[in-house]
Amino acid sequence: MALKITVIGTGYLGATHAAAMAEMGFEVLGLDVVPEKVELLASGRVPMYEPGLEELLARHVAGIEGSTGRLRFTTSWEEVGAFGDVHFVCVNTPQKHGEYGCDMSYVDAAFGSLAAVAREGSLVVGKSTVPVGSAERLAAVLPQGVDLAWNPEFLREGFAVQDTLRPDRIVVGVSGDGAARAEKTLREVYAVPVAEGSPFVVTDFPTAELVKTAANSFLATKISFINAMAEVCEAAGGDVARLAEAIGHDERIGSKFLRAGIGFGGGCLPKDIRAFMARAGELGADQALTFLREIDSINMRRRGQMVEMARETLGGNSFLGRRVAVLGATFKPDSDDVRDSPALNVAGQIHLQGGQVTVYDPKGMDNARKVFPTLGYADSALEAVRGADVVLHLTEWREFRELDPAELAAVVSSPVVLDGRNALDGERWRAAGWTYRAMGRPRA
Ligand SMILES: NC(=O)c1ccc[n+]([C@@H]2O[C@H](COP(=O)([O-])OP(=O)(O)OC[C@H]3O[C@@H](n4cnc5c(N)ncnc54)[C@H](O)[C@@H]3O)[C@@H](O)[C@H]2O)c1
Ligand SMILES: O=c1ccn([C@@H]2O[C@H](COP(=O)(O)OP(=O)(O)O[C@H]3O[C@H](CO)[C@@H](O)[C@H](O)[C@H]3O)[C@@H](O)[C@H]2O)c(=O)[nH]1
């Protein structure tokens, strides 16, 4: 009989994972502790913006006309326990307030609830990003006869559906008596992507946990590296975009993740590198990761440098009374996620310094308003830039690349655009009468 799967925590990761498991042919039950989220998902709607996810849900959520009916949602732990052969834990692991470390309270609560209901012979699979050593600790929370595996997730927001259906690797950490059983079960769960070519890597618990934080640390390092080069380019008069293009031709370096700008944000890279440093400290290996402190500070510095670039453009004095249009609020395009968003941080800093900031984002407006209700918001890019003394491009949505610079030039107070993402076609904007400046690049 086909395995029955539950997904605990149906946020960005869990909702996508649940829908993808149903797409792979399994019966799936998703659980969340937020009843409104469960209600929304149960009616086939997505509580966040993720391209392709709503369509995938509609194909499988029970009760929707024409669906397979393989996917249901609940708030009942008893139902989860009775239903599941495999339980995927996808709850949030945010940064602790005022500390670098990871807040494990949601994971601990989920394991506590699961331990009380999981059937003998079932498998619990951790997917949340956790400090190394957590799996071993959590295995002891589960009753005898319930196995644990750690299977970190590498999906990118904006590409979550395709990354889940066809992951570039599947990493499975197993341990102890149940190791072979857990591996066999997960090979069955991931049979489709493995048949389509996804590598399946089996490790011990600590290695699986470390693969996740190592991968995110590497990505963060690559971005901060190019941003450090951008700082040097700014000082020396070089062009970081051409530099990135040139070094990227070396296959050992590669061209991806070398876009300089206002740096990385989101619910993953910033908090994961900090949690990694904190955990290394606990393990007495803090020296190994001191470089991540620098990666973090280069990244955070970029936001301030964007603010200074805007100030300089406006004459070098105060922002008081100056109108600043901000294009972008989310931490990256094709997402509504504003967690630790560099764009919103820059907008907020200028606002707090007296600037009249108006923000527009294609999908992030509701979340941005919740985090920063005092900023000005507009319903379109055109409305946001109306009367602006300077326009900041801070999230590289396609919609912004496709704007007509001439139309915008007609409504601003001063046609100056600062590209914090190195993503607009500067020549096109200049041809329409704009002064275009990008971070890490010479002035034309
Ligand atoms: N978002 C991503 O792109 C991504 C990618 C890979 C890994 N991760 C990791 O996955 C985990 C989840 O991230 P996310 O972005 O989906 O977070 P999220 O905040 O969007 O979703 C977490 C969900 O878990 C629910 N939850 C909290 N406590 C619970 C409990 N005790 N029982 C059941 N549900 C509970 C919350 O209500 C929420 O809906 C984190 O560890 C994150 O680091 C995220
Ligand atoms: O060249 C680049 C590439 C990215 N970014 C920024 O870096 C941040 C993170 O981007 P990305 O990694 O694409 O987004 P996430 O969806 O947060 O995905 C990361 O974090 C997830 C959660 O751990 C992992 O699963 C993914 O593999 C990992 O890429 C965003 O603010 C981007 O604007 C840059 O500034 N320059």
Side-chain angles (χ1 to χ4, degrees), residues 88-99:
F88 282 100
V89 178
C90 301
V91 303
N92 38 327
T93 50
Q95 188 175 337
K96 278 187 198 160
H97 284 296
E99 287 178 48

Side-chain angles (χ1 to χ4, degrees), residues 171-233:
V171 176
V172 167
V174 290
S175 163
D177 293 345
R181 252 192 328 264
E183 179 185 337
K184 182 169 172 286
T185 304
L186 284 170
R187 284 191 185 276
E188 207 175 318
V189 169
Y190 289 116
V192 173
V194 169
E196 287 173 356
S198 298
F200 192 89
V201 183
V202 181
T203 72
D204 51 31
F205 279 165
T207 307
E209 295 165 319
L210 283 168
V211 168
K212 175 66 201 173
T213 32
N216 276 0
S217 300
F218 192 86
L219 294 172
T221 301
K222 218 172 166 188
I223 299 169
S224 277
F225 173 83
I226 202 64
N227 279 331
M229 295 306 111
E231 282 188 25
V232 179
C233 282

Side-chain angles (χ1 to χ4, degrees), residues 57-81:
L57 278 173
R59 273 221 290 283
H60 300 295
V61 171
I64 293 185
E65 210 187 309
S67 81
T68 62
R70 287 200 287 263
L71 177 55
R72 291 183 303 111
F73 293 92
T74 185
T75 52
S76 160
W77 286 101
E78 286 68 31
E79 214 184 318
V80 157

Side-chain angles (χ1 to χ4, degrees), residues 173-421:
V174 290
S175 163
D177 293 345
R181 252 192 328 264
E183 179 185 337
K184 182 169 172 286
T185 304
L186 284 170
R187 284 191 185 276
E188 207 175 318
V189 169
Y190 289 116
V192 173
V194 169
E196 287 173 356
S198 298
F200 192 89
V201 183
V202 181
T203 72
D204 51 31
F205 279 165
T207 307
E209 295 165 319
L210 283 168
V211 168
K212 175 66 201 173
T213 32
N216 276 0
S217 300
F218 192 86
L219 294 172
T221 301
K222 218 172 166 188
I223 299 169
S224 277
F225 173 83
I226 202 64
N227 279 331
M229 295 306 111
E231 282 188 25
V232 179
C233 282
E234 281 152 19
D239 183 335
V240 75
R242 303 308 306 277
L243 180 150
E245 182 192 339
I247 63 171
H249 285 306
D250 183 333
E251 281 181 9
R252 294 168 303 173
I253 296 172
S255 59
K256 291 181 181 156
F257 265 65
L258 284 182
R259 198 163 1 83
I262 56 172
F264 58 83
C268 291
L269 299 192
K271 61 106 173 148
D272 286 350
I273 62 169
R274 290 172 195 153
F276 199 16
M277 282 186 268
R279 184 64 186 137
E282 288 167 6
L283 293 168
D286 41 342
Q287 251 195 328
L289 298 187
T290 47
F291 76 97
L292 284 180
R293 195 173 291 274
E294 197 53 42
I295 299 306
D296 196 12
S297 27
I298 292 169
N299 188 54
M300 296 309 284
R301 204 154 67 216
R302 294 306 276 169
R303 303 173 184 192
Q305 285 161 349
M306 184 76 234
V307 174
E308 289 319 307
M309 194 170 162
R311 189 200 310 283
E312 190 200 313
T313 304
L314 293 172
N317 295 317
S318 131
F319 283 108
L320 220 59
R322 308 308 297 272
R323 299 171 80 98
V324 180
V326 169
L327 300 182
T330 53
F331 84 102
K332 68 187 289 191
D334 298 318
S335 172
D336 66 346
D337 197 345
V338 300
R339 285 179 288 185
D340 202 352
S341 165
L344 215 48
N345 179 289
V346 168
Q349 285 192 50
I350 295 176
H351 167 73
L352 292 173
Q353 292 179 44
Q356 281 183 45
V357 180
T358 307
V359 179
Y360 167 71
D361 187 280
K363 296 286 178 192
M365 301 289 273
D366 290 346
N367 285 338
R369 276 198 184 94
K370 277 181 217 151
V371 176
F372 234 122
T374 51
L375 290 175
Y377 291 95
D379 291 336
S380 67
L382 191 66
E383 284 316 306
V385 307
R386 197 174 288 283
D389 297 309
V390 63
V391 175
L392 312 188
H393 175 246
L394 301 185
T395 313
E396 65 277 33
W397 286 91
R398 174 194 283 264
E399 179 177 327
F400 299 149
R401 285 199 298 281
E402 290 175 351
L403 287 169
D404 176 0
E407 191 186 359
L408 266 57
V411 303
V412 292
S413 160
S414 170
V416 183
V417 61
L418 306 184
D419 191 353
R421 289 297 185 183

